[in-house]
Each structure stands twice: as structure tokens, then as C-alpha cells.
Amino acid sequence: MYFDTAETLSREEIDNLQTVRLKSTVERAMRSPYYGEKLKGFNVDSITSVDDIRRLPLTTKQDLRDNYPYGLLTCSTDEIVRLHASSGTTGTPTVIFYTQNDLNTWANLMARSMHIAGVRAEHRFQNMAGYGLFTGGLGIHYGAERLGCLTIPSGAGNTKRQIKMIQDFDVDVLHIIPSYALYFAGALEAAGIDPATFTPSIALIGAEPHTEEVRRKIEEMLNLKAYNSYGLSEMNGPGVAFECVHQDGMHVWEDAFIVEILDPETLEPVKEGELGEVVMTTITREGMPIIRYRTKDLCRFIPGTCACGRAHRRLDRIAGRADDMMIIKGVNIYPMQIEQVLMGLPEVGENYQIVLEKEGFIDQIRVRVEIKEDFFEEDMRILKGLQKKIQTQLCNEILVTPRVDLVQSDSLPKSEGKAQRVVDQRSQED
Amino acid sequence: MYFDTAETLSREEIDNLQTVRLKSTVERAMRSPYYGEKLKGFNVDSITSVDDIRRLPLTTKQDLRDNYPYGLLTCSTDEIVRLHASSGTTGTPTVIFYTQNDLNTWANLMARSMHIAGVRAEHRFQNMAGYGLFTGGLGIHYGAERLGCLTIPSGAGNTKRQIKMIQDFDVDVLHIIPSYALYFAGALEAAGIDPATFTPSIALIGAEPHTEEVRRKIEEMLNLKAYNSYGLSEMNGPGVAFECVHQDGMHVWEDAFIVEILDPETLEPVKEGELGEVVMTTITREGMPIIRYRTKDLCRFIPGTCACGRAHRRLDRIAGRADDMMIIKGVNIYPMQIEQVLMGLPEVGENYQIVLEKEGFIDQIRVRVEIKEDFFEEDMRILKGLQKKIQTQLCNEILVTPRVDLVQSDSLPKSEGKAQRVVDQRSQED
């Protein structure tokens, strides 16, 4: 049976390991042209605890691009056996290089991730993610193989064939992107297939931020347990953080990564449990170690210990992108926080809008919320009560009291994507 | 450096190995429901030489389909770690199961194949084949990884990105499908990129039957050496037979496969060097051994020994599908034979047509050939001479004297695919 002893490291062991590995990582990173220059004169022996990481410089996506393709490489390309690349739709692609040891480490992290979500060697695993330069396909493929699953590399798309494969081979575990999972569930329904007769009991989801409600919907529609995960190509790909069977946050593999949560404005650590930008350092990577990488992903650590007992800390759901942050009355607010509150309320419909406005010199936030028809028929007092409830719950989450407008279903402009949810009217009044 | 001792086995060693492995394969195959039934009562110890293979039953694609999905499996699916499947566009898909040892054997065969074509660990290899259920992508990927190349899993399509990757990473070796290679060369030209500045010096081609002329065109347009290969998912996928640097036929890895060339009508072996259907037996496979598989591919062994000295026999180019065989005056003729002769003549244009007709009770073959405009302007005597030349060369190849009509460029109906090249007018005259 597969088992990785790193799963059960104690907090103290993790801290010690992180310190040792941070030192060796900095030492190794300094062999690359980029960090060799950036860290010139840095005394590696001055690192005596994980907290010393704050004396190291941050690395951004722009730094990776400016030093494309080989600037962060610590060895000859002869030692590199794989590269993965972002699609490069926004300019120069981001490229990550892997040595054979890096691929092994990655496969182990991925196998461990699947293992804590309940995947076992005897399972049949269908990998419904795109293969190729995207890390999601090959990354999980190698993990499943390491675990010893019967792996079906079905790739993305071709829903009819996906369904046939699942049925013909009694598949136990799916890897599926959340938005495709919802589409897929609809296709199952359309084909008249009862999820109760469907064999998969586990879905590994991730690669896209999604809400708890989406997870529950996937679980219900596909009749299985869905486990959230976190990864990004700069940190190998998938296998950075994964939910265990308790589904209570994603354990970050802290023997392989040091995670900081920083205020995206001040770049100082946030208080424990507060939302901020995820900043990560690879501490086992050979070919292309990356120090203090600004992921731009917003998240928080879940305080306390998981029921499973593993000491690896847990990341909450990704709450959006650092670039989406709004500052209202000095408080950092993210659209995803508002969405999470609204989507948790049964009265709230499909759509909402966030309006930023100015009252004199003071920024205000107004949230316009569509109410489902069934609830809109009620009398004014009940509507007033609902408005107050939404306001209170939002205030509890974002620490600012918003104005709340209730509007009828389908009355707001349909928005595509997160950006258009926010309407900034402040500049007009300046 | 990568080196596989099986590359240099002597003929005698190969024969002995094949006998031993054929016995163990039959023994293992009999554990599967299908062969257990089919070979009931077969005495494995009666196998004393490779020739005893002829006492074993043939296996067809239909047999694989009829016993879908698990009928040929020799072990529990718990021991299976991968499956690949055909697209299944023509009904039930063909599925091949691999144990971990099978994947290792396959990766070794593939690495050896790349090695004899001159690929080395220090090379940068771009795999421009689709990943996923298709064996071409992952099959070659694992071979390149075994060899230690820097592997770029670029996958199929996205020509602009393919070009950027090749340029940015000074790629040495491409894996590319012949038809896409021609398209790709055109795209390079259109982008104003001089092939002389292009770094790749080796292209691994295959997966589609193609002519020597197509290979030369690819080599010229991309300024590299192109090596032909042969593989099919029933025999793992790619890595069955591969050209060495002499480009003089594809060495079949006879330590892993027994190859017979049979007359598709009589199912008896053809004479050495003659064209027939390729029939293959896996002799190292655990999960799903296949005995005497009728590939439907037409090919011949190239007589004599390769200049490289390797004893593994060489397959010529695939000359079409057994189903395409025509019988004229008792002689088996394949459209690809005619195509190869025609495409070797500088006067011949893009299109031709094969017409089967009856004269009394005797079948006749007529070949209508488009002649390039430059050559059509000549006087009648020269045209007569050309007609005679084509007739003689065709007769030398197909052993029957065809009638030859020379026609002007663009005068024949444009055909898509092989099938429409042949017009059978015999039944109308019966």
C-alpha cells in the first residue's frame, strides 16, 4: 500500500525541515543567473528559522517573464527532462523546468494528495484533464501511476466517450474541472443516466476557484464526494495542497513548500486566519527553485488542527485574485467574500452587483442583490427583514456595512466573469 | 548514456529468445478467458521453435471487440495501471491494458527506437502528438523521458506556439505526424522563417502510411532527417519498428514481437521479401498478450542485413491495408504499389485513378494518370514513350500489365482518401 511518511510529520519536524530546506534552496537558487544576482552577498548561514524567509526578496510573474527562458535555471539543460509552460495568452509564457528528481518529487506529492482524499491503488482513475503543456493532466497522471491506480488518460472533452469509459470500466475516481463537472452532470441527466448507477465515488476537483455551493452541487448531481485542491505551475502544478477526507480545508505540503499569507498592499504577514495573498517558496526543487513567489491568489489559513490530525496547515478556498482587492474605509475587501455570503442565502437569485461610490470624501460600497421570485412576492416588512439580514451577514464578513438594494430576478445586467460584477462610480464624482 | 543490449542480439539469440518467450506468452495468455477457451488443450511444451507459432490461432480486431473489455486480460485489474483505447469511431473501442512492467517494457522499446535514430539524452525533444487515450503521445513521451531528453509535451495543434517553443528552446528533435509536418512546413514558410535557421535536425514521423517522396519533402522543407516508424495500439503503440540512421527500413524489435507476413487470402506465409499482411505476436507483454494479431497492414520484409549490422529484421514502408487488396489475373495487387510507382515519376501530376474492368471473362486493370502540364505540351511520340515507361514500371511492380491512359492535369475527379482512387467497373459487365 502507498504511504508517504511526510504525511505524518509533527509541527516541530515540519518547522525544522523547512529551515534546513530553505537554506539548501537558497544555496541552490544562487546558482541561477537571476537569484545569483538578486541574492549577491546573502549569507545562507544567517538563516536559522523559517521566519528568516522575510529577509529574502519576493519573486513575481514578471520576474519569471523578464528572465525567460533560462534565467532561473540552476543547472545545465542536459539535467532537465521536462518543461511545462503556461498558455502564454498574456505575453511571454511562464516556463517551469524539471529535473528527474523534480518529477519524482512531484509524482510523490501528487500521490500523497490523492491518498489523503481516499484514493487507493485498487481504484480505477479517469483523468479528465487536458494533457500536454498544461500541468494538470500529466501532473495528476504521474501521481495516479505512482499510487498504482488503473489510470485512464481520457483527457479533456468528448463527453460521450467519457461517460462510456466510466461505465465500461467501473471507474471509481474522476479528476475533473469544476465547471466541466457541472456541464458533465447536465450531460448525464440529458442522457437519462441515473447518478445512482454511476460508479465513481470520488472526484478530485480544482484548477478553478469555486464555492462550497458548487462543490455540494457537484457532489449531489454526480452522487460522489468532491475534494478541492490547489496547485499552480510555478509550484510544479497540481499537488500543492489537497483536502483530506474531512473536506475541511486543503493541507499544504509544508515539507515541499513554505507558504506565507501577506497583505497585498503592505506585503507584511496578515494576522493568523486573515485573508491575504498566497506567497510560496519551493524547498525541494532542484532545476528551478522559486523563492517567495507572489501567486496573486487570495486565501487564508484555517486556524486549528484538522480532525485527521495531520500537522500540515490548511488553506481555505481561494477567495479570488489579489488584483481584485477593493479598499473601502481602509479595509481590504474581495468580491469573492461578498459572493460567498450571498450564495449561502436561499432567498438570493443568480445575479448581484457591487457598486463602489463616494459620499463626500468617503468611499461607500453598495450591493445590489437579485431576489428569487418566490421571496419577492412577500410584503414589505419581510423584504426589509431580508435586506437587514443580508447587510448584517455581509458586514460580519467584510467588516464594513454595505448598502443593500434588493432587486427583482433578471433585472441586473448579466455579467460574464468576475470583473463586471464590480462597478466603480467613485472616479465620476471626484 | 542510454544503451539497450537487446539492440545487438545476433539472429540466433533472437530466434532462441523468441522460442522461449513464445512459450511463456502462450502460457500466460491461457490465463485469460478468451485464450483459455481458444487454446484449451494446447500443449505449451510442444513449442520447440518459432515456426510452431503457425499452429496457434489468429486473432482479429473483431475478436478484441467481441471480448471487450476484459476478455483478454490475464490478471486482475488491480495489477493494471494504464489503459489506452482507440477512438472507437467504428463501434466498440479497442482497449489495451498495461501492467507496470508492460509500461516499463514499452518505455524501453521506445527509448531504444529513438536511440537508433540518433536521439540522445542531451537532446531537446518536442512531442507534437496528441496525448491522452491515443498511444502516440504518452508512448513516445515515456520513451523520451527514459532516454533522458528534455521533453516538451506540446501536444497536437497550435502551430504558432509549436514554432515559438522550437525557437525559444533550440529544440533538436521533433515527433510529428507526416501530414501535419507538411502543413507545419507551409506555416513556417508563411511566417517567413528560414528552415536553415531552424534547430531541429531529427524528426520522428509515423502513425500514418506515407511515401518516400513525402519523407524527402519533409526533410527538405524542414531541413532535417526524418525517420519512419511503425506502431499500433494492439502492440503497445509506437516503438514496434523504427528506422535507424541508415533510413533503410524499420527494424522490428523481435525480442518483443514475432512478426509474420501472411497472404491475406490463404493466410499462409508469403515468400521472403514479398508483400502480405503483417501478423504480430507480443512476447513480453503481461497484462494483455495478443497472439498472431492480424494488423490488416500490408508490408514486406526487406531482405538482407542493414548497414548498421543489427540483426532485427526490417519492415519496408506500410503499403496500404489488406482490405484494399485487388486480385487481378490471380495476382494480389495493392493500390499503394501503384501509387509508389507513379509518385516516383517526375512527369506524373497530383492525381490518378485505378479502374478495374472486365474483358470477356478476364479482369483487367487500367490506370489513368494525370500528367503535369509541362510534359503534356510535348509531341505524341514522346507521350507514347512516357505511356510505355509507366506501363513497364507498373508491370515490374504489380506483375500484371496494366492499360495506361495519360490525361491532362486536373481532369480526374479529385479523390479524398485511398478508397475512391479505385473504380470497380467489373460487376456492371457481369
Side-chain angles (χ1 to χ4, degrees):
Chain A
M1 202 191 88
Y2 184 89
F3 181 69
D4 185 336
T5 51
E7 262 187 49
T8 55
L9 290 171
S10 70
R11 190 67 241 165
E12 200 191 340
E13 287 169 324
I14 290 173
D15 289 342
N16 290 338
L17 206 53
Q18 285 194 331
T19 309
V20 172
R21 289 185 173 172
L22 178 60
K23 278 177 80 163
S24 61
T25 292
V26 172
E27 212 156 32
R28 172 117 200 169
M30 286 167 81
R31 296 186 208 170
S32 74
Y34 176 69
Y35 286 119
E37 182 63 36
K38 197 94 179 172
L39 296 173
K40 197 178 257 173
F42 185 87
N43 177 10
V44 175
D45 289 326
S46 70
I47 296 175
T48 57
S49 91
V50 184
D51 293 336
D52 287 315
I53 200 167
R54 277 188 241 145
R55 297 192 286 113
L56 293 165
L58 292 156
T59 305
T60 64
K61 199 176 198 79
Q62 194 56 47
D63 293 327
L64 300 188
R65 286 194 181 133
D66 292 345
N67 294 278
Y68 174 88
Y70 300 124
L72 273 76
L73 218 54
T74 65
C75 57
S76 149
T77 52
D78 286 359
E79 289 176 56
I80 298 299
V81 295
R82 177 94 62 84
L83 70 78
H84 280 281
S86 68
S87 59
T89 43
T90 53
T92 308
T94 310
V95 176
I96 306 297
F97 296 95
Y98 307 75
T99 64
Q100 189 57 57
N101 282 339
D102 289 336
L103 290 186
N104 290 343
T105 311
W106 183 17
N108 285 334
L109 287 171
M110 199 52 240
R112 191 202 301 176
S113 299
M114 294 172 76
H115 183 255
I116 70 165
V119 186
R120 296 292 178 266
E122 59 270 25
H123 281 150
R124 292 136 193 238
F125 169 65
Q126 188 154 319
N127 191 10
M128 300 161 78
Y131 279 68
L133 285 170
F134 167 59
T135 51
L138 282 170
I140 295 205
H141 177 92
Y142 275 67
E145 190 167 295
R146 182 64 47 100
L147 206 50
C149 296
L150 195 178
T151 303
I152 304 177
S154 61
N158 204 336
T159 302
K160 253 175 96 172
R161 189 171 71 175
Q162 303 277 11
I163 294 174
K164 181 169 171 55
M165 290 279 165
I166 293 169
Q167 291 183 314
D168 288 359
F169 300 109
D170 301 313
V171 167
D172 304 291
V173 183
L174 307 177
H175 172 220
I176 189 165
I177 287 171
S179 56
Y180 183 59
L182 292 172
Y183 170 84
F184 185 76
L188 269 190
E189 207 171 39
I193 296 167
D194 180 0
T197 66
F198 231 48
T199 51
S201 58
I202 295 174
L204 310 177
I205 58 177
E208 288 170 347
H210 58 281
T211 61
E212 184 64 25
E213 286 64 39
V214 165
R215 182 232 295 269
R216 294 299 164 212
K217 207 164 179 181
I218 292 170
E219 291 191 327
E220 198 183 307
M221 292 180 82
L222 293 178
N223 184 34
L224 43 66
K225 287 275 173 196
Y227 296 94
N228 193 11
S229 63
Y230 179 63
L232 61 164
S233 66
E234 293 84 351
M235 300 290 125
N236 295 338
V240 172
F242 231 90
E243 280 189 339
C244 69
V245 292
H246 295 281
Q247 295 186 314
D248 191 17
M250 305 177 285
H251 294 277
V252 186
W253 300 125
E254 296 185 275
D255 54 314
F257 305 101
I258 295 175
V259 179
E260 303 167 80
I261 309 280
L262 304 185
D263 182 304
E265 286 291 308
T266 65
L267 300 175
E268 290 298 316
V270 299
K271 282 197 212 114
E272 218 204 308
E274 279 188 7
L275 209 55
E277 180 176 342
V278 179
V279 170
M280 299 193 82
T281 301
T282 68
I283 52 173
T284 54
R285 226 154 59 179
E286 287 184 349
M288 188 175 166
I290 302 183
I291 294 168
R292 304 193 82 200
Y293 182 67
R294 291 191 64 176
T295 67
K296 297 274 179 183
D297 285 322
L298 290 172
C299 201
R300 64 181 196 105
F301 272 122
I302 296 176
T305 318
C306 183
C308 74
R310 289 181 185 88
H312 297 271
R313 282 182 296 173
R314 291 164 300 153
L315 286 175
D316 202 350
R317 293 188 171 281
I318 300 302
R321 301 285 296 164
D323 299 332
D324 299 335
M325 188 178 77
M326 310 168 280
I327 305 182
I328 302 294
K329 297 179 183 169
V331 178
N332 300 350
I333 299 175
Y334 305 99
M336 184 64 83
Q337 291 178 285
I338 292 170
E339 174 158 327
Q340 275 172 349
V341 168
L342 296 180
M343 293 305 133
L345 294 166
E347 300 91 347
V348 172
E350 299 268 303
N351 213 351
Y352 66 93
Q353 198 175 50
I354 300 165
V355 183
L356 307 180
E357 46 194 23
K358 251 197 160 75
E359 210 178 71
F361 293 102
I362 298 163
D363 288 338
Q364 297 283 357
I365 185 164
R366 180 185 296 275
V367 182
R368 310 182 68 204
V369 186
E370 283 187 5
I371 299 301
K372 286 184 190 152
E373 227 167 294
D374 290 359
F375 295 95
F376 217 83
E377 314 281 19
E378 311 279 350
D379 74 30
M380 263 333 249
R381 274 172 308 180
I382 295 181
L383 273 185
K384 278 267 173 212
L386 177 56
Q387 187 183 34
K388 184 77 200 152
K389 180 171 95 172
I390 295 174
Q391 193 176 46
T392 308
Q393 292 204 11
L394 282 174
C395 182
N396 290 344
E397 176 61 36
I398 63 177
L399 310 177
V400 163
T401 305
R403 286 152 184 191
V404 173
D405 299 345
L406 304 189
V407 302
Q408 274 186 292
S409 273
D410 289 328
S411 65
L412 291 174
K414 293 262 175 284
S415 68
E416 299 192 19
K418 235 171 333 200
Q420 287 135 293
R421 297 252 196 221
V422 183
V423 180
D424 194 342
Q425 294 178 343
R426 291 174 296 179
S427 49
Q428 298 165 17
E429 299 166 44
D430 271 344
Chain B
M1 202 191 86
Y2 183 87
F3 180 69
D4 185 336
T5 52
E7 260 187 53
T8 55
L9 290 172
S10 70
R11 191 66 240 166
E12 201 191 339
E13 287 168 325
I14 289 173
D15 289 342
N16 290 338
L17 205 53
Q18 285 195 330
T19 308
V20 172
R21 289 186 173 171
L22 178 60
K23 279 177 79 162
S24 61
T25 292
V26 171
E27 213 157 31
R28 173 117 200 170
M30 286 167 80
R31 297 186 206 169
S32 74
Y34 175 69
Y35 285 119
E37 184 59 40
K38 197 92 179 174
L39 295 173
K40 197 179 258 175
F42 185 87
N43 176 10
V44 175
D45 289 327
S46 71
I47 295 175
T48 58
S49 91
V50 184
D51 292 336
D52 288 313
I53 200 167
R54 277 187 240 145
R55 296 192 288 113
L56 294 165
L58 292 156
T59 306
T60 64
K61 199 175 198 79
Q62 194 56 46
D63 293 328
L64 300 188
R65 287 195 180 132
D66 291 344
N67 294 280
Y68 175 89
Y70 300 124
L72 274 76
L73 218 55
T74 65
C75 58
S76 149
T77 52
D78 286 1
E79 290 176 56
I80 299 298
V81 296
R82 175 94 64 82
L83 72 76
H84 280 281
S86 68
S87 59
T89 42
T90 54
T92 308
T94 309
V95 176
I96 306 297
F97 296 96
Y98 307 75
T99 64
Q100 188 57 58
N101 282 339
D102 289 337
L103 290 185
N104 290 343
T105 311
W106 183 18
N108 285 334
L109 286 171
M110 199 52 240
R112 192 203 298 176
S113 299
M114 295 173 76
H115 182 253
I116 70 164
V119 185
R120 296 292 177 269
E122 59 269 27
H123 281 151
R124 293 137 192 238
F125 169 65
Q126 189 154 317
N127 191 10
M128 300 160 78
Y131 278 68
L133 285 170
F134 167 60
T135 51
L138 283 170
I140 295 204
H141 177 92
Y142 275 67
E145 190 167 297
R146 181 65 47 101
L147 205 52
C149 296
L150 195 178
T151 303
I152 305 178
S154 61
N158 205 336
T159 302
K160 252 175 97 173
R161 190 173 70 174
Q162 301 277 11
I163 295 174
K164 182 169 170 55
M165 289 282 166
I166 293 170
Q167 291 185 315
D168 288 0
F169 300 110
D170 301 314
V171 167
D172 302 292
V173 182
L174 308 176
H175 172 219
I176 187 165
I177 287 171
S179 55
Y180 182 59
L182 291 173
Y183 171 83
F184 186 77
L188 268 190
E189 208 173 36
I193 295 167
D194 180 359
T197 66
F198 232 46
T199 51
S201 57
I202 295 174
L204 310 176
I205 58 177
E208 286 169 347
H210 58 282
T211 60
E212 184 64 25
E213 286 62 42
V214 165
R215 182 232 295 270
R216 293 301 163 209
K217 207 164 176 181
I218 292 170
E219 291 193 325
E220 197 184 307
M221 291 179 83
L222 292 178
N223 185 34
L224 42 66
K225 286 276 173 194
Y227 296 95
N228 192 13
S229 63
Y230 179 63
L232 61 166
S233 66
E234 293 84 352
M235 301 289 124
N236 294 338
V240 172
F242 231 92
E243 281 189 338
C244 69
V245 291
H246 296 282
Q247 296 186 314
D248 191 16
M250 304 179 285
H251 293 279
V252 187
W253 299 126
E254 295 186 275
D255 55 313
F257 305 101
I258 295 175
V259 178
E260 303 166 82
I261 309 281
L262 304 184
D263 182 304
E265 286 291 306
T266 65
L267 299 174
E268 289 297 315
V270 299
K271 285 199 209 108
E272 219 206 304
E274 279 187 7
L275 209 56
E277 180 177 342
V278 178
V279 170
M280 297 193 84
T281 300
T282 67
I283 53 172
T284 53
R285 227 156 55 181
E286 287 184 348
M288 187 175 168
I290 302 184
I291 294 169
R292 301 191 83 200
Y293 182 68
R294 291 191 63 176
T295 65
K296 297 275 181 182
D297 285 323
L298 290 171
C299 200
R300 65 180 196 105
F301 272 124
I302 295 176
T305 320
C306 183
C308 74
R310 289 181 185 87
H312 297 270
R313 281 184 296 173
R314 290 164 298 154
L315 286 174
D316 202 350
R317 295 186 171 282
I318 299 302
R321 300 286 295 164
D323 299 332
D324 298 335
M325 188 177 76
M326 310 168 278
I327 305 182
I328 302 294
K329 297 178 186 172
V331 179
N332 301 350
I333 299 174
Y334 306 99
M336 185 63 84
Q337 291 178 285
I338 292 167
E339 173 158 329
Q340 274 173 347
V341 168
L342 296 180
M343 293 303 134
L345 293 166
E347 299 91 347
V348 172
E350 298 268 304
N351 212 351
Y352 66 93
Q353 198 175 48
I354 298 165
V355 183
L356 306 180
E357 45 196 21
K358 250 197 166 76
E359 208 179 70
F361 293 103
I362 298 162
D363 288 339
Q364 297 284 358
I365 185 164
R366 183 186 293 276
V367 182
R368 310 181 70 202
V369 186
E370 283 187 3
I371 299 302
K372 286 184 192 150
E373 225 168 293
D374 291 356
F375 295 95
F376 217 83
E377 315 283 17
E378 310 282 348
D379 74 33
M380 260 334 242
R381 273 171 310 179
I382 295 180
L383 273 185
K384 277 271 173 208
L386 177 57
Q387 188 184 31
K388 184 75 199 158
K389 180 171 94 172
I390 294 176
Q391 193 176 46
T392 307
Q393 292 204 10
L394 283 173
C395 180
N396 290 344
E397 176 62 35
I398 63 177
L399 308 177
V400 162
T401 305
R403 285 154 186 191
V404 173
D405 299 344
L406 304 189
V407 303
Q408 274 185 295
S409 274
D410 289 330
S411 65
L412 292 173
K414 292 262 175 283
S415 69
E416 297 192 19
K418 237 171 328 197
Q420 287 137 292
R421 297 254 195 220
V422 182
V423 179
D424 194 342
Q425 294 180 342
R426 291 173 299 180
S427 49
Q428 299 166 16
E429 300 165 41
D430 271 345

